[in-house]
Amino acid sequence: MDLQVKTGTWQNLKNNVAVIFAAQGNNDSLVYFPATDFKDAESLALVKNAGFSAALNEVLRVPVEGQWILLVGLGKRADVSEDCFRQAAGTAAKALRTGPSKSISFPVVEVRGVSQEQCAQALVEGALLSTYRYEVYKKPAENLKTQLKAITLLVEQANKQTQAKRGLEKGRVIADAVQLTRDLINGPSNLVNPTYLAKQAEAMAKTNKLKVQVLSFDELKKKGFGGLVGVSQGSAHPAKFIVMDYKPVKAKSTLVLCGKGVTFDTGGISLKPALKMELMKYDMSGAAAVFGTLKAVSELKLPHRVVGVIAATENMPSGTAQKPGDIIKTLSGKTVEVLNTDAEGRLILADCLHYAKRFEADAVIDLATLTGACIVALGSQSIALMSTNDKLANQLVAAGERTQERMWRLPLWEAYGKQMESDIADLRNISGTGEAGTITAAKFLEAFTEGLTWAHLDIASTAWTQQDKPYSPKGAVGIGVRLLVSLIEQWKK
Ligand code: BES
Ligand code: ZN
Ligand code: ZN
């Protein structure tokens, strides 16, 4: 993909589809960006006759001066945000699938609350992410193939080039990272198994200069990773515990990101129903987001140490699998009565969170497709956030608003913890009542976070989309990467 910033207008570009944005102003008027390029009477009449209202993601093709203009709506002018540009750019890039042109240009604009740098970043993210496809096993049909070969960002004044270029570069790095995350999630479990994830980490050790350590199944047994061993012992694919360390020379803070990496969740002996079980390849979306975030953070050379801690395993039923009623001893020393082998994510995260204590981090954040209850409670619009630290929680909520990877905080009141007490072990892995499943899962995790500044993100409802969205085609969303990169970029101790 050829990405560049140019000063000037689309008229000078060859074989290009020029995007012009339109927003809804006062009294049904339309506001065009850039304002100067699009005001001949003929075009304006055409827009009016087509009934184009500039609603967000509305598209109209207009022939102007022998070229095609793509008019894309941003919605109400007063509500235009970074995400409107991300969506509109995604919609525009997809519109290029039909038609002969392979290059597209966007105006970089500055509107209330959105700088030229932010606009440029959002445009590149939107255009690149919208045309993503998982292409490992099948090349897309000709009519679905993206025609996009080049993106030109147009700035009006030469002195805005630096800002736009910075945004473009950031957008490119972040889109690449999200695409890696999506590929890992969309990859079927017969390809993406724990060993595959370990190899991915080792590859990133070279290309991204991360320090990587992988613990084998034997080492996990020896060192007492009882949560991860218990879950993985039924599988023919050995578990891997993966640590990736990005450590800049003068790190201002340390953040640890823990990811649930269940490459396939059958439920184990507490077997899941067959219907839609194939979706459980996405049960490693937390781990995949950690991979993407480390890739982006290291390429952007952010000034904080970021450590990724991933427990990678399958959850399978077999003659060697753990059984309901088994009691395991986790890395922390705490014992757990495993009453349902399908509540496996919390068992492996217990070991990750305990392991994270050694980094004396300023924050530890775990990401996991942890509970079906999260889908019931919040649906595909929101991540569930739970945290024992208000400052960290608020920083996450703010990053969620900025990136539109939004979240809603649920309480961790003491009373919810009662449901996770066992008569014969320190904890049980499912609640006694079946109520508030997302919260009780987090209460279980909390038991392994003494001394940590900790937040838990349940991404079960947001990591996978059943429908195409402006910049997320059906399948893996890659949720968490843009969120965490933005959090770390603006991180304050
Ligand atoms: N991976 C699932 C949670 C999940 C379900 C994620 C659907 C995405 C979509 C998790 O391991 C699980 O099975 N949780 C159980 C917990 C229950 C046994 C307490 C659940 O949510 O049903
Ligand atoms: Zn499960
Ligand atoms: Zn699971």
Side-chain angles (χ1 to χ4, degrees):
M1 181 75 63
D2 176 26
L3 294 171
Q4 56 177 336
V5 175
K6 279 192 176 160
T7 308
T9 59
W10 53 268
Q11 281 91 343
N12 307 325
L13 302 173
K14 295 225 163 56
N15 300 323
N16 176 64
V17 170
V19 169
I20 291 191
F21 293 119
Q24 302 164 330
N26 296 330
N27 311 322
D28 292 336
S29 65
L30 295 189
V31 186
Y32 294 100
F33 301 103
T36 46
D37 278 15
F38 193 75
K39 55 181 182 194
D40 61 294
E42 205 181 319
S43 316
L44 292 177
L46 201 149
V47 170
K48 195 161 187 193
N49 293 337
F52 180 82
S53 74
L56 182 56
N57 293 313
E58 191 180 349
V59 179
L60 182 68
R61 275 167 184 273
V62 189
V64 182
E65 299 175 24
Q67 292 193 41
W68 285 99
I69 291 286
L70 208 54
L71 201 56
V72 187
L74 293 171
K76 289 201 183 67
R77 188 187 202 289
D79 297 340
V80 170
S81 66
E82 242 175 281
D83 200 62
C84 295
F85 287 108
R86 203 180 286 116
Q87 291 191 34
T91 303
K94 283 191 282 189
L96 237 64
R97 278 187 203 136
T98 49
S101 185
K102 292 177 166 46
S103 61
I104 194 165
S105 67
F106 296 101
V108 181
V109 293
E110 200 168 340
V111 284
R112 34 142 260 144
V114 184
S115 69
Q116 301 231 347
E117 179 179 333
Q118 289 167 329
C119 180
Q121 181 183 338
L123 292 172
V124 170
E125 285 177 5
L128 295 180
L129 291 176
S130 69
T131 51
Y132 166 86
R133 292 242 125 54
Y134 183 66
E135 294 180 355
V136 177
Y137 293 94
K138 185 183 181 188
K139 294 292 162 227
E142 211 44 49
N143 63 337
L144 283 177
K145 211 169 181 170
T146 174
Q147 297 291 319
L148 196 56
K149 291 277 182 302
I151 301 172
T152 307
L153 301 185
L154 294 168
V155 292
E156 285 181 62
Q157 302 141 324
N159 62 358
K160 296 287 185 186
Q161 282 239 7
T162 328
Q163 273 200 39
K165 277 185 181 152
R166 214 182 300 136
L168 174 145
E169 185 52 22
K170 240 191 245 177
R172 188 189 61 75
V173 167
I174 291 172
D176 276 356
V178 173
Q179 286 173 357
L180 165 71
T181 297
R182 287 178 180 175
D183 276 348
L184 291 174
I185 299 168
N186 286 326
S189 73
N190 59 337
L191 176 72
V192 181
N193 56 36
T195 304
Y196 185 96
L197 291 182
K199 284 202 182 120
Q200 173 65 42
E202 274 149 12
M204 279 172 56
K206 291 202 190 88
T207 52
N208 291 68
K209 299 205 179 71
L210 307 170
K211 230 179 78 196
V212 169
Q213 194 194 359
V214 177
L215 298 183
S216 69
F217 189 56
D218 282 342
E219 286 169 307
L220 294 171
K221 277 194 278 194
K222 252 183 245 145
K223 293 182 189 228
F225 287 68
L228 181 51
V229 168
V231 172
S232 73
Q233 71 191 31
S235 169
H237 293 287
K240 303 280 176 190
F241 190 80
I242 303 165
V243 184
M244 292 182 281
D245 195 347
Y246 164 69
K247 196 174 180 184
V249 184
K250 278 190 193 137
K252 291 183 182 158
S253 313
T254 299
L255 290 102
V256 180
L257 307 174
C258 299
K260 172 178 174 181
V262 175
T263 57
F264 198 83
D265 183 10
T266 66
I269 296 294
S270 313
L271 194 64
K272 284 184 182 295
L275 191 71
K276 294 276 167 198
M277 201 206 269
E278 70 276 10
L279 280 178
M280 280 301 114
K281 70 175 181 181
Y282 92 85
D283 212 17
M284 37 63 76
S285 297
V290 173
F291 277 109
T293 305
L294 271 133
K295 175 172 158 66
V297 162
S298 59
E299 286 172 15
L300 295 170
K301 301 194 169 60
L302 297 188
H304 307 290
R305 181 181 185 192
V306 183
V307 186
V309 176
I310 288 166
T313 178
E314 288 188 329
N315 187 23
M316 296 293 286
S318 82
T320 58
Q322 67 178 350
K323 301 173 288 298
D326 284 2
I327 296 182
I328 57 171
K329 189 168 178 185
T330 61
L331 187 64
S332 69
K334 285 189 178 167
T335 55
V336 179
E337 187 183 9
V338 180
L339 290 169
N340 188 318
T341 63
D342 196 12
E344 84 296 343
R346 60 198 78 183
L347 302 177
I348 67 174
L349 283 173
D351 286 350
C352 291
L353 290 167
H354 182 77
Y355 187 90
K357 289 172 186 163
R358 69 186 56 203
F359 298 104
E360 297 178 342
D362 299 284
V364 175
I365 301 163
D366 75 74
L367 293 97
T369 45
L370 203 63
T371 64
C374 176
I375 306 174
V376 179
L378 292 169
S380 58
Q381 298 302 327
S382 177
I383 297 169
L385 161 68
M386 283 141 281
S387 178
T388 43
N389 185 284
D390 290 344
K391 196 169 163 207
L392 175 58
N394 292 340
Q395 290 199 58
L396 275 162
V397 168
E401 292 299 324
R402 288 197 296 275
T403 54
Q404 288 295 290
E405 297 197 334
R406 291 185 288 183
M407 62 194 70
W408 198 255
R409 191 173 176 187
L410 300 176
L412 286 178
W413 299 325
E414 191 63 46
Y416 288 112
K418 289 266 176 291
Q419 298 178 33
M420 304 309 286
E421 287 171 7
S422 160
D423 293 334
I424 55 171
D426 294 324
L427 291 155
R428 46 192 282 155
N429 81 328
I430 55 166
S431 93
T433 68
E435 288 180 353
T438 303
I439 299 175
T440 52
K443 285 307 282 183
F444 179 93
L445 296 181
E446 190 191 342
F448 300 89
T449 63
E450 302 99 335
L452 296 180
T453 301
W454 165 72
H456 161 59
L457 300 173
D458 193 333
I459 57 171
S461 58
T462 45
W464 188 268
T465 177
Q466 309 275 3
Q467 306 124 348
D468 287 334
K469 295 189 179 158
Y471 52 86
S472 293
K474 263 191 282 193
V477 173
I479 197 112
V481 177
R482 291 189 301 107
L483 170 80
L484 291 170
V485 172
S486 178
L487 175 88
I488 298 166
E489 231 188 341
Q490 304 212 11
W491 177 254
K492 296 209 178 54
K493 258 198 201 184

